[in-house]
Amino acid sequence: MTHPLPVFEDVRAAAARLKDQAVLTPLLTNPALDARMGGRIFLKAECLQRTGTFKFRGAFNALSKLSESQRRAGVVAFSSGNHAQGVAEAARILGIKAVIVMPEDAPEVKKAGVLERGAEIRAYDRETESRVEIAEALCAQSGAALIPSYDHPDVIAGQGTSGLEIFETLKAQDIQADQLVCCVGGGGLIAGINLAAEALSPSTKIYGAEPEGFDDHARSLASGDKVVNTRKGGSLCDALLTETPGELTYAINQPRLADIGVISDLEALQAVRLGFETLKLVLEPGGAAALAAVLSGKVDVKDKTTVIVLTGGNVDSAVFKQALSS
Amino acid sequence: MTHPLPVFEDVRAAAARLKDQAVLTPLLTNPALDARMGGRIFLKAECLQRTGTFKFRGAFNALSKLSESQRRAGVVAFSSGNHAQGVAEAARILGIKAVIVMPEDAPEVKKAGVLERGAEIRAYDRETESRVEIAEALCAQSGAALIPSYDHPDVIAGQGTSGLEIFETLKAQDIQADQLVCCVGGGGLIAGINLAAEALSPSTKIYGAEPEGFDDHARSLASGDKVVNTRKGGSLCDALLTETPGELTYAINQPRLADIGVISDLEALQAVRLGFETLKLVLEPGGAAALAAVLSGKVDVKDKTTVIVLTGGNVDSAVFKQALSS
């Protein structure tokens, strides 16, 4: 990687670019959840963001920084679906051709979200093909720019605008968060949030949440070396299935993360169900991972002020029905 | 009825009482919905209110105005479930004993919401018993105060705080709403919103939405006389099944409503499905009635700025699953 690490000023600049494009998502409170957990909880509802996840932030920031000639050559991205939709939506708005490399087993709702926005899908087999190789070949053919889903300074800075909004909203209400919990896939969102927290709320501890079998950050932090997951699929948290921490994201996150809660598929489904019953929000399992870490006690919120980032709501109805019965 | 009609100052006073109790629900935007409908839409997400509906506003306002001796005698309410939960929650907060008269066929999620909050349920048969008689008998026995679900000035003023928030939020962004669409059961919420609109945004047209078979407001407005519905149940919009417009509410609404859109159960389910797929919000069929009126073209939003009030999200998982397949 030759990219420099992004800094907080990049997050501020991204916020200016996103101003009339991204939804300023609400920081919700829910008295029933507070009573149940015995703490004060704020929910950053990124499931209410354009395309149903925070991913639009990073994608739009990255695409809006491309030169005119780069825009004409188009963009390529690989993603299980949420970054895919973010890139497709940003490309649609900016009039850029987009090709998305997506696993064949990506949720139908995410494939549909890409196609509806006018982007093209190149499907691949998660077990036997390399999405990186496919994407690089597409870029080599057409001269298109590859838009990484997390390991790029513009993507990290874009995702960080979510953290900027969180801490500015709390500050306006004179509230200090003791801690923040956010899911970790490649670590782009939590890296951007770390930059915002360091600048605006340095005493807030930042916790991650990862699915079982994809706890590469948890194990990397524990061992001191970046590790690679052996599993490639099979978790319901399809949004969080990366092989290993990103280079840029890990360089930002490693010294700043307090800890990582590792959650099971069942815990993710139970968090989705609580979203339905108590929060009245539609969450996908990966988007509910931070909530699951809190509900299962992996991050303790008792008598504390905690921000939980709800990162996405793009869930197939079959999985959602499964969660309602969990 | 001996109560005076509430006025806008009552709404302002209710807002002060609710300040640290009700959630200031977000006024959401959704670019995908705007693109689909060809207009600018704001969604007042009352499904994110305490207890999952706006009803907490009116209930808490009414209960907080009771005298000490009235509080000791307790309260009684009759409701299919959302007012029930609002009264139960307000009573729990204020330390008042509450008995709720609920139809036997009320959604399980609503019955559970009442019991969890420590209130007592007196079940009745919608077809053969009169909930009014049961409630009045309970009040006569115990000296408890009856808290009507809509036809009371304190309840109307409390619900109106939702409208106050809508128009203050829009004004802060220098946005003028051409129209607002809100469901109508007994007409308490839309009456409160009418008071707020008249004071803060008098050029905004206010539209109602009613379910088929329970279109008493639509038919009353058309005929000039208050009419009574012949059906008593059988609609999926369980939150909106009142017999006839209230006296106070109709006196406020009749001269102020632009029109009413009447929607079918299928249209309500399709709106619930759009809530899941596009808005990432959990809506109950009655809570999605205003959205259904817009989606089905009964209220035209093209090239206009429209507020849609999403009034509730307390839906049994069986009905929600039905909506996902609609």
Side-chain angles (χ1 to χ4, degrees):
Chain A
M1 277 286 168
T2 55
H3 293 296
L5 288 183
V7 294
F8 178 61
E9 287 316 309
D10 298 313
V11 178
R12 278 247 182 256
R17 279 180 210 108
L18 284 165
K19 188 169 182 307
D20 292 322
Q21 298 296 341
V23 171
L24 200 169
T25 54
L27 191 64
L28 301 169
T29 56
N30 187 289
L33 181 64
D34 284 4
R36 172 176 169 159
M37 300 310 298
R40 187 178 195 190
I41 294 173
F42 292 88
L43 302 159
K44 181 64 170 172
E46 284 295 303
C47 51
L48 305 179
Q49 184 53 265
R50 195 163 191 149
T51 73
T53 77
F54 69 95
K55 289 283 191 181
F56 174 74
R57 298 174 183 268
F60 188 85
N61 189 49
L63 266 65
S64 65
K65 287 189 75 181
L66 296 178
S67 68
E68 270 310 309
S69 64
Q70 283 177 311
R71 290 186 188 200
R72 275 192 300 274
V75 295
V76 169
F78 48 84
S79 159
S80 68
N82 281 335
H83 176 59
Q85 288 181 85
V87 170
E89 178 76 346
R92 185 187 65 72
I93 293 169
L94 296 168
I96 298 173
K97 177 179 156 60
V99 181
I100 315 289
V101 182
M102 288 182 84
E104 283 163 352
D105 63 352
E108 291 303 322
V109 64
K110 294 182 178 180
K111 292 185 198 170
V114 167
L115 295 175
E116 277 165 16
R117 292 178 170 89
E120 199 179 299
I121 293 180
R122 162 68 169 87
Y124 75 98
D125 182 326
R126 220 189 260 273
E127 301 289 336
T128 62
E129 291 186 277
S130 160
R131 62 186 192 172
V132 179
E133 283 171 19
I134 295 168
E136 286 175 350
L138 285 168
C139 290
Q141 276 166 30
S142 64
L146 181 66
I147 308 296
S149 59
Y150 52 89
D151 218 16
H152 190 286
D154 297 335
V155 173
I156 294 169
Q159 319 304 29
T161 59
S162 174
L164 181 67
E165 290 171 9
I166 290 168
F167 295 114
E168 285 186 340
T169 301
L170 290 176
K171 191 168 274 188
Q173 297 173 61
D174 213 14
I175 294 165
Q176 176 65 45
D178 298 312
Q179 54 190 12
L180 178 149
V181 195
C182 177
C183 63
V184 182
L189 174 62
I190 204 165
I193 287 174
N194 265 317
L195 297 178
E198 190 171 58
L200 300 177
S201 189
S203 70
T204 302
K205 287 188 182 175
I206 310 295
Y207 289 85
E210 286 185 313
E212 280 177 7
F214 296 87
D215 56 345
D216 45 302
H217 282 80
R219 292 186 294 118
S220 298
L221 289 174
S223 72
D225 287 314
K226 280 210 299 183
V227 301
V228 178
N229 297 315
T230 49
R231 281 173 62 185
K232 297 202 172 177
S235 164
L236 281 174
C237 298
D238 61 279
L240 305 179
L241 310 189
T242 43
E243 287 186 353
T244 190
E247 292 195 26
L248 299 178
T249 56
Y250 194 67
I252 295 169
N253 291 325
Q254 188 273 332
R256 291 173 175 88
L257 288 181
D259 201 359
I260 304 255
V262 180
I263 56 127
S264 68
D265 267 3
L266 178 60
E267 287 165 341
L269 286 176
Q270 288 169 338
V272 172
R273 187 164 65 117
L274 183 120
F276 171 78
E277 289 176 351
T278 304
L279 308 182
K280 310 302 176 189
L281 293 173
V282 176
L283 302 174
E284 57 183 285
L291 177 62
V294 167
L295 294 176
S296 63
K298 275 145 201 160
V299 178
D300 177 36
V301 299
K302 195 159 165 41
D303 299 326
K304 291 178 184 153
T305 298
T306 305
V307 177
I308 299 174
V309 189
L310 304 172
T311 49
N314 294 323
V315 53
D316 273 346
S317 58
V319 172
F320 200 75
K321 288 175 184 173
Q322 188 185 346
L324 297 194
S325 311
S326 71
Chain B
M1 278 285 166
T2 55
H3 292 297
L5 288 183
V7 295
F8 178 62
E9 287 315 309
D10 298 313
V11 178
R12 278 247 181 256
R17 280 180 210 107
L18 285 165
K19 187 169 183 311
D20 291 322
Q21 298 297 342
V23 171
L24 200 170
T25 53
L27 192 62
L28 301 170
T29 55
N30 187 288
L33 181 64
D34 285 4
R36 174 175 167 158
M37 300 310 297
R40 187 178 193 187
I41 294 173
F42 292 88
L43 301 159
K44 181 64 168 171
E46 284 296 302
C47 52
L48 305 179
Q49 184 53 266
R50 197 164 189 148
T51 72
T53 77
F54 69 94
K55 288 282 190 181
F56 174 75
R57 297 174 183 268
F60 188 86
N61 189 48
L63 265 66
S64 66
K65 288 190 75 182
L66 295 178
S67 68
E68 271 310 310
S69 63
Q70 283 177 310
R71 290 187 188 200
R72 276 193 299 274
V75 294
V76 170
F78 47 84
S79 158
S80 67
N82 281 335
H83 176 60
Q85 288 181 85
V87 170
E89 178 76 347
R92 185 187 66 71
I93 293 169
L94 296 167
I96 299 173
K97 177 177 154 60
V99 181
I100 314 289
V101 183
M102 287 182 85
E104 283 164 352
D105 64 351
E108 291 305 321
V109 64
K110 294 182 178 178
K111 292 185 198 170
V114 166
L115 296 174
E116 277 165 16
R117 292 178 171 90
E120 200 178 298
I121 292 180
R122 162 69 168 87
Y124 75 98
D125 182 326
R126 219 189 259 273
E127 300 288 337
T128 63
E129 291 186 277
S130 158
R131 62 186 192 173
V132 179
E133 283 171 19
I134 296 168
E136 285 175 350
L138 286 168
C139 289
Q141 277 166 29
S142 65
L146 181 66
I147 308 296
S149 59
Y150 52 90
D151 217 16
H152 190 284
D154 298 336
V155 173
I156 294 168
Q159 320 304 30
T161 59
S162 174
L164 181 67
E165 289 171 9
I166 291 168
F167 295 114
E168 285 186 339
T169 302
L170 290 176
K171 191 168 274 187
Q173 297 173 62
D174 214 15
I175 294 165
Q176 176 65 44
D178 298 313
Q179 54 189 12
L180 177 149
V181 195
C182 177
C183 63
V184 182
L189 174 61
I190 204 165
I193 287 174
N194 265 317
L195 297 178
E198 190 170 61
L200 300 177
S201 189
S203 70
T204 302
K205 288 188 183 176
I206 310 295
Y207 288 85
E210 285 185 313
E212 280 177 6
F214 297 86
D215 56 344
D216 46 302
H217 282 81
R219 292 185 296 118
S220 297
L221 289 173
S223 73
D225 287 314
K226 279 211 297 182
V227 300
V228 178
N229 298 315
T230 49
R231 281 172 63 184
K232 298 202 171 177
S235 163
L236 282 174
C237 298
D238 60 278
L240 305 178
L241 310 190
T242 44
E243 287 186 351
T244 189
E247 292 194 28
L248 299 177
T249 55
Y250 194 68
I252 295 169
N253 291 327
Q254 187 273 331
R256 290 174 176 88
L257 288 182
D259 201 0
I260 305 255
V262 180
I263 56 126
S264 68
D265 267 3
L266 178 60
E267 287 165 341
L269 286 176
Q270 288 169 337
V272 172
R273 186 164 65 117
L274 183 120
F276 171 78
E277 289 176 352
T278 304
L279 308 182
K280 309 303 175 189
L281 293 172
V282 175
L283 302 174
E284 57 183 284
L291 178 62
V294 167
L295 294 177
S296 62
K298 275 145 199 159
V299 178
D300 177 37
V301 299
K302 194 157 165 44
D303 298 327
K304 292 177 184 155
T305 298
T306 304
V307 177
I308 300 174
V309 189
L310 304 173
T311 50
N314 294 324
V315 53
D316 273 346
S317 57
V319 172
F320 200 76
K321 288 174 184 172
Q322 189 184 344
L324 298 194
S325 312
S326 70

